[in-house]
Amino acid sequence: MPPPMMCKGGGQNAGNVKGGMPCMGKGMMPPMGPGAMNPMMGMRPNMQMPPMMRPPVNPQVVAPPMNQMSGPMQKQMLGEKLYPMVAKYQPELAGKITGMMLEMDNNELMRLLDSEQQVRSKVDEALRVIQQAGRFN
């Protein structure tokens, strides 16, 4: 084990550094890094930030209305809403079936999303198409 480091000079920081804070000479700043205490925050670890500086507790991304999005962006949003609905009925084929359904017109897809029964019907229809395609290959 190396010998303990000693501070040069004297004063209140003089002495053995082993297990304590490193020696700081006149005009030196304390170490700033992971685990180092931020001098701006003071000594209280539970100090509250003013409301204007606090990050939002539960930030939500607000998407623009569907009619203001480009066609590909609409398809992306519709697919993200449709996939979990399809996965309820066919988890193993949810990606494929969702992709098949995204070939439909965007307005028809928006109406489809309003009805769980219609989604189920389209999932069954897509499953029949997949099964029939499997017979011909």
Side-chain angles (χ1 to χ4, degrees):
M1 178 176 280
M5 293 175 41
M6 300 293 282
C7 289
K8 294 180 183 177
Q12 75 182 71
N13 286 333
N16 188 336
V17 199
K18 183 178 178 185
M21 293 286 291
C23 300
M24 291 189 295
K26 190 173 188 178
M28 291 181 69
M29 294 292 293
M32 296 301 288
M37 189 170 62
N38 183 347
M40 299 299 286
M41 294 302 288
M43 298 297 283
R44 296 186 321 201
N46 292 331
M47 194 166 130
Q48 293 291 317
M49 294 171 75
M52 67 189 87
M53 293 179 66
R54 276 189 228 140
V57 176
N58 190 9
Q60 292 182 346
V61 177
V62 178
M66 218 37 123
N67 61 358
Q68 293 180 4
M69 294 181 188
S70 66
M73 190 72 137
Q74 284 182 356
K75 286 285 186 194
Q76 177 73 30
M77 293 293 291
L78 290 167
E80 288 175 7
K81 290 180 180 182
L82 190 58
Y83 180 86
M85 296 174 81
V86 172
K88 288 181 194 175
Y89 305 112
Q90 287 295 322
E92 301 84 25
L93 295 172
K96 181 164 190 70
I97 293 172
T98 301
M100 292 170 68
M101 293 170 78
L102 287 174
E103 296 295 321
M104 298 166 54
D105 177 67
N106 287 0
N107 291 325
E108 191 176 348
L109 284 169
M110 285 189 260
R111 286 190 298 273
L112 183 71
L113 289 171
D114 290 334
S115 169
E116 192 79 31
Q117 184 180 4
Q118 286 183 340
V119 171
R120 176 63 193 230
S121 174
K122 287 292 183 183
V123 169
D124 291 342
E125 182 182 336
L127 196 52
R128 285 191 298 275
V129 170
I130 291 169
Q131 290 169 345
Q132 284 178 339
R135 286 189 224 152
F136 295 114
N137 289 334

